[in-house]
Amino acid sequence: MQRAEAARQALLTSHPESEVAVLKLDVGSIRSVLHAAQEVKLRYNRLDYLYLNAGIMPNPQLDIKAFFKGLFSSNVISMFATGEGILTQKDKTTSDGLQEVFVTNLFGHYLLVRELEPLLCQPEKTSQVIWTSSSNAHRSAFSLEDLQHLRGTEPYSSSKYASDLLSVALNRKHNQQGMYSSVICPGLVMTNLTYGILPSFFWTLIMPIMWLIRVFTNTFTLTPYNGAEALFWLFMQKPESLDALVKYHSLTSGLGNNYTQPHKMDIDEDMSEALYKKLQDLEDEVRQRLN
Ligand SMILES: NC(=O)C1=CN([C@@H]2O[C@H](COP(=O)(O)OP(=O)(O)OC[C@H]3O[C@@H](n4cnc5c(N)ncnc54)[C@H](OP(=O)(O)O)[C@@H]3O)[C@@H](O)[C@H]2O)C=CC1
Ligand SMILES: CC(C)CCC[C@@H](C)[C@H]1CC[C@H]2C3=C(CC[C@]12C)[C@@]1(C)CCC(=O)C[C@@H]1CC3
């Protein structure tokens, strides 16, 4: 909570007229999600925006052989843009008996949205739910038969693809009640997540190479400020004008200019419906376990 308090103070300094409140929430813990949602419901009657940004990529392993193979293949740009085929992770089980990546990147957020539906779905005003997804969200990593990705080595990719699917399902279910859901991709950003893949001094050393790569793939946004472009852009849009089937990408040009671009997602609407059903079943199961 110390860092949250520091962020609150910084916001109050730059925007003295604003009100900023902080609340502790571990999306990886069912009890914590339910408790925090209860607190939000006590504090507020309505929510205009819900940004679902929290996410983890634990124990990432970079496949150096696949990286060099990709470097000399025709897929090199796509490899730099998405990291497909060169990254795996090692997941673990939480005290709730769920896979950590699945619950942190997807299920905890799902449960939070479910709990906050009464504040998000209000007849007189629209609301926006905004997921931080990834270009690493690949259909090939996801399986409806293995939602939590127990049997694979790409739980991060699977959880991000699932968030894309879930956003589509949320729109189908709640647009009529005024709630709209969108997904964004921040591009490759230097944060604790990427410092888990390669050490920060290494990223700093290769920064000139990354600026060069940015000329060929505008997905190398590199700073959190640039990566947040699509989050900010969505904030400015009328939710009714957004396309539920696209992902909004933060991009930075070779000259350092930021912009947002929509890209059609590789989504099957029946699959999104089936995922929603499975999440509801799991929700019933975890709620029963808590009672
Ligand atoms: N960096 C990149 O290149 C990319 C990142 N993303 C996505 O962007 C989002 C932000 O990640 P990024 O800033 O890069 O990574 P960081 O590791 O720097 O930040 C992760 C954020 O998620 C929060 N978080 C992690 N676990 C939990 C939890 N159990 N409960 C509550 N909050 C939690 C962290 O909070 P705290 O600090 O308090 O632990 C932190 O604010 C993630 O969803 C990530 O998947 C997508 C594409 C590319
Ligand atoms: C010379 C260097 C630029 C070499 C870096 C190689 C890789 C470590 C990176 C190339 C593409 C990157 C990437 C990600 C992580 C680091 C790379 C694999 C992400 C998977 C990080 C998390 C995401 O959500 C998407 C990113 C896509 C690109």
Side-chain angles (χ1 to χ4, degrees):
M1 289 302 273
Q2 240 174 343
R3 278 183 302 144
E5 193 47 48
R8 192 179 90 88
Q9 287 305 335
L11 282 168
L12 288 175
T13 308
S14 57
H15 299 82
E17 72 294 350
S18 62
E19 255 182 56
V20 185
V22 294
L23 175 66
K24 194 170 174 181
L25 161 58
D26 175 1
V27 271
S29 153
I30 305 300
R31 273 181 207 282
S32 172
V33 172
L34 298 179
H35 183 265
Q38 204 50 41
E39 185 60 35
V40 173
K41 285 190 270 192
L42 285 176
R43 287 191 203 178
Y44 309 100
N45 299 322
R46 208 190 73 225
L47 286 180
D48 298 319
Y49 295 89
L50 180 62
Y51 282 84
L52 303 169
N53 179 65
I56 55 166
M57 182 193 267
N59 311 306
Q61 310 283 318
L62 183 64
D63 185 338
I64 303 284
K65 216 168 131 190
F67 172 69
F68 280 104
K69 217 171 144 197
L71 209 51
F72 300 102
S73 78
S74 54
N75 282 336
V76 60
I77 299 291
S78 152
M79 178 185 82
F80 279 125
T82 69
E84 186 168 16
I86 57 175
L87 265 187
T88 56
Q89 303 88 33
K90 278 204 184 72
D91 207 352
K92 65 173 187 211
T93 309
T94 66
S95 53
D96 292 312
L98 300 167
Q99 289 303 101
E100 192 185 23
V101 175
F102 166 79
V103 68
T104 310
N105 294 3
L106 182 82
F107 191 65
H109 295 297
Y110 159 84
L111 211 52
L112 185 64
V113 172
R114 292 280 292 152
E115 284 289 306
L116 298 179
E117 265 171 24
L119 274 63
L120 291 160
C121 300
Q122 301 216 338
E124 70 282 6
K125 208 162 179 286
T126 56
S127 67
Q128 277 184 264
V129 172
I130 300 170
W131 299 77
T132 305
S133 179
S134 165
S135 57
N136 192 248
H138 299 299
R139 190 184 188 135
S140 56
F142 175 80
S143 161
L144 275 172
E145 278 64 56
D146 185 19
L147 268 200
Q148 301 197 38
H149 205 79
L150 273 156
R151 294 192 285 275
T153 55
E154 294 176 280
Y156 180 83
S157 178
S158 166
S159 69
K160 292 294 177 182
Y161 185 74
S163 73
D164 297 353
L165 287 172
L166 178 53
S167 177
V168 172
L170 286 174
N171 279 312
R172 216 176 17 251
K173 300 215 176 300
H174 296 299
N175 278 177
Q176 284 196 333
Q177 295 152 292
M179 184 180 116
Y180 291 80
S181 175
S182 312
V183 281
I184 73 108
C185 169
L188 176 65
V189 184
M190 294 303 109
T191 63
N192 286 336
L193 185 146
T194 36
Y195 299 151
I197 302 171
L198 294 168
S200 63
F201 79 86
F202 182 80
W203 286 112
T204 310
L205 271 180
I206 62 165
M207 200 45 85
I209 301 178
M210 294 206 285
W211 286 325
L212 186 69
I213 296 174
R214 185 193 265 176
V215 175
F216 302 99
T217 167
N218 296 357
T219 56
F220 274 36
T221 48
L222 303 178
T223 67
Y225 180 89
N226 294 347
E229 175 70 21
L231 293 175
F232 178 67
W233 185 86
L234 279 175
F235 176 77
M236 305 296 280
Q237 306 307 306
K238 272 202 160 45
E240 303 90 320
S241 68
L242 299 168
D243 184 342
L245 295 173
V246 312
K247 187 180 288 183
Y248 295 91
H249 289 248
S250 297
L251 298 168
T252 305
S253 72
L255 292 175
N257 297 316
N258 294 325
Y259 58 104
T260 299
Q261 207 172 59
H263 286 273
K264 205 94 200 143
M265 294 191 285
D266 178 16
I267 296 275
D268 173 341
E269 298 215 24
D270 291 341
M271 201 188 233
S272 94
E273 195 57 48
L275 168 69
Y276 194 84
K277 176 85 194 47
K278 289 213 165 203
L279 291 174
Q280 276 182 318
D281 292 346
L282 186 59
E283 177 188 344
D284 292 345
E285 203 182 306
V286 296
R287 282 187 195 276
Q288 262 171 23
R289 243 187 279 154
L290 284 183
N291 289 332

